[in-house]
Amino acid sequence: MRALVSCIALLALCFSVFAQEIQPRVIRFGYGLDEQSNQGRAVQFFAEQVAKNSSGRLRLRAIGAAALGPDVQMQQALIRGSQEMMVGSTATLVGISQEMALWDTPFLFSSAAEADAILDGPIGRKIMDRLQEKGLVGLVYWENGFRNLTTDTRPVRKLEDFNGLRLRVMQNEIYLKSFNLLGANATPLPFSELFPALESKLVDGQENPYNTILSSRFFEVQKYLSITNHVYSPWVMLASKKWWDQLSADEQKVLRDAAVASRDHERAYSRKESVKAVAMLKDKGMLVNELPAREIERMRERLCSIHLLIASNVGKEIWQETQAALGQLRGRKPGNGNIANLAASSGRGQTDSPGGAPCR
Ligand code: KDG
């Protein structure tokens, strides 16, 4: 009997300690896409994990469709501490942490497996950790996906078809310069203004992963889908450092564990949905074409100078580490030629761009 009483007392103590370490909290979690998008569904999954792992004490108030403002506005709200969490594009973070520009590199990854390995490995973690000095805590990367072009005026079949195309891009220097270099007239706009800009013909086209093209109903205002897979775009889950630092270790562990579970769930779900999305876009009446390998090669070569810009933005160490890591993933010995050396040299000579195509 005495053993039973002491066991119950011990359990009560454990529970009370647990209870003390997990306070009842409401977490305002903002995101830009619709509730029914792959992003919105992943936020719901994260919310369920957090509630389950905290016995209902930590509750997410998920606020989608950019109701709390575009990515850049939510990022500032997190830094101020007036919003607790968000998920958004890494591309809109480069104004705060320039190392995030690595993920804007055209043709950096040639598969989702490569992306996962680099993003979840030491390089991705190092870049994520740089956010702390800016007032943000990066938790995990989710998959936005490989980006492809949609247009309403004409399909893009070859490099020359970019000429004069009024293309919306994210509010990001690399995207702006990349598409201008390809011959387009790039117009930076927040995601929340994209559909009206397409509908009013302010722009001819845009570029996003298949899931976003489908869930944001761009097929209603875009006739053509031209498959380029020109960059792999991650999302990043962020917390306000002001808020995060006053959480207990137990509360931080609940959120970190739920974030990792949501990352794996979101990637698997997004990839499954992405395979179906192209067929669904065709059913919605979009005319789909795939650029031939030669034209993709011409795009890569035209964008080599962007690799130099990114190498200088993110720093030689991160750039070289990325190239070496990708080389190993692709079964290549670490090359001695690389963009950073090219940047330091007279700019001539051949080097491997991470996408494998040589930049001359
Ligand atoms: O809030 C929207 C962002 O999370 C992301 O979807 C951005 O891919 C993006 C775009 O094209 O703006």
Side-chain angles (χ1 to χ4, degrees):
M1 187 56 181
R2 189 175 303 181
L4 180 62
V5 170
S6 52
C7 185
I8 291 168
L10 187 62
L11 271 175
L13 177 65
C14 291
F15 181 75
S16 68
V17 168
F18 179 85
Q20 281 158 8
E21 289 307 309
I22 306 274
Q23 304 303 325
R25 297 178 189 274
V26 174
I27 300 166
R28 287 163 295 184
F29 190 113
Y31 61 98
L33 271 64
D34 297 338
E35 196 176 315
Q36 286 316 306
S37 68
N38 57 320
Q39 189 183 65
R41 289 167 192 240
V43 173
Q44 286 312 322
F45 178 87
F46 175 66
E48 288 154 14
Q49 292 292 307
V50 168
K52 188 177 74 175
N53 298 352
S54 65
S55 304
R57 302 175 80 81
L58 300 180
R59 289 238 168 259
L60 234 69
R61 210 172 112 230
I63 304 155
L68 293 179
D71 289 7
V72 292
Q73 188 174 322
M74 291 195 284
Q75 290 154 7
Q76 292 304 322
L78 263 59
I79 291 169
R80 281 195 310 273
S82 56
Q83 180 182 328
E84 289 78 34
M85 295 186 76
M86 69 171 282
V87 65
S89 176
T90 57
T92 53
L93 261 177
V94 292
I96 293 171
S97 184
Q98 63 181 17
E99 290 84 1
M100 281 287 170
L102 179 66
W103 314 128
D104 303 333
T105 306
F107 303 109
L108 179 65
F109 299 127
S110 48
S111 70
E114 281 187 2
D116 295 355
I118 301 293
L119 287 164
D120 299 345
I123 297 167
R125 175 45 54 195
K126 182 187 292 181
I127 291 175
M128 192 91 92
D129 289 347
R130 296 277 171 93
L131 291 171
Q132 302 243 359
E133 62 206 44
K134 309 290 185 181
L136 295 169
V137 177
L139 294 174
V140 287
Y141 294 102
W142 283 1
E143 171 157 303
N144 189 0
F146 282 99
R147 302 179 76 94
N148 292 284
L149 288 170
T150 67
T151 54
D152 201 40
T153 47
R154 62 175 186 270
V156 172
R157 299 187 189 283
K158 59 188 183 302
L159 184 58
E160 287 74 14
D161 291 342
F162 280 100
N163 293 344
L165 203 60
R166 296 174 303 155
L167 206 64
R168 176 270 177 180
V169 296
M170 287 192 277
Q171 297 161 294
N172 171 293
E173 178 202 23
I174 299 297
Y175 277 75
L176 182 68
K177 290 188 171 170
S178 295
F179 283 100
N180 284 339
L181 207 51
L182 291 171
N185 294 333
T187 305
L189 287 172
F191 184 79
S192 48
E193 296 175 21
L194 177 48
F195 191 95
L198 294 170
E199 192 173 37
S200 65
K201 309 297 177 206
L202 175 69
V203 293
D204 303 317
Q206 64 87 44
E207 43 85 55
N208 248 293
Y210 300 140
N211 286 329
T212 301
I213 297 166
L214 186 65
S215 66
S216 300
R217 306 185 68 80
F218 292 156
F219 53 85
E220 292 177 353
V221 288
Q222 297 280 269
K223 192 170 179 182
Y224 304 102
L225 167 60
S226 298
I227 298 175
T228 52
N229 293 314
H230 52 272
V231 65
Y232 177 90
S233 180
W235 283 320
V236 60
M237 186 189 288
L238 301 170
S240 161
K241 191 172 186 315
K242 272 186 185 165
W243 171 74
W244 181 265
D245 287 350
Q246 47 89 41
L247 297 180
S248 68
D250 285 352
E251 290 168 326
Q252 290 179 355
K253 183 175 185 325
V254 164
L255 292 168
R256 281 197 188 283
D257 291 352
V260 170
S262 71
R263 173 197 67 194
D264 298 343
H265 175 83
E266 191 272 341
R267 284 172 177 169
Y269 173 81
S270 294
R271 287 164 193 170
K272 193 160 61 66
E273 291 299 296
S274 185
V275 169
K276 293 185 288 185
V278 181
M280 291 170 77
L281 289 167
K282 282 179 183 169
D283 290 347
K284 298 288 185 183
M286 290 198 86
L287 302 177
V288 181
N289 71 286
E290 193 157 355
L291 271 71
R294 176 63 198 127
E295 292 305 321
I296 296 293
E297 203 53 37
R298 292 178 71 207
M299 286 177 68
R300 284 177 192 266
E301 286 166 2
R302 177 72 67 86
L303 295 172
C304 270
S305 59
I306 293 294
H307 286 187
L308 290 175
L309 174 62
I310 295 171
S312 64
N313 285 359
V314 306
K316 191 173 173 181
E317 181 202 338
I318 285 180
W319 183 266
Q320 285 185 326
E321 218 179 307
T322 303
Q323 283 200 51
L326 285 169
Q328 281 173 349
L329 286 170
R330 295 165 186 163
R332 276 206 312 262
K333 287 190 294 302
N336 48 14
N338 63 63
I339 295 277
N341 289 351
L342 187 64
S345 74
S346 58
R348 280 197 300 277
Q350 177 172 328
T351 180
D352 276 349
S353 72
C359 272
R360 289 173 186 77

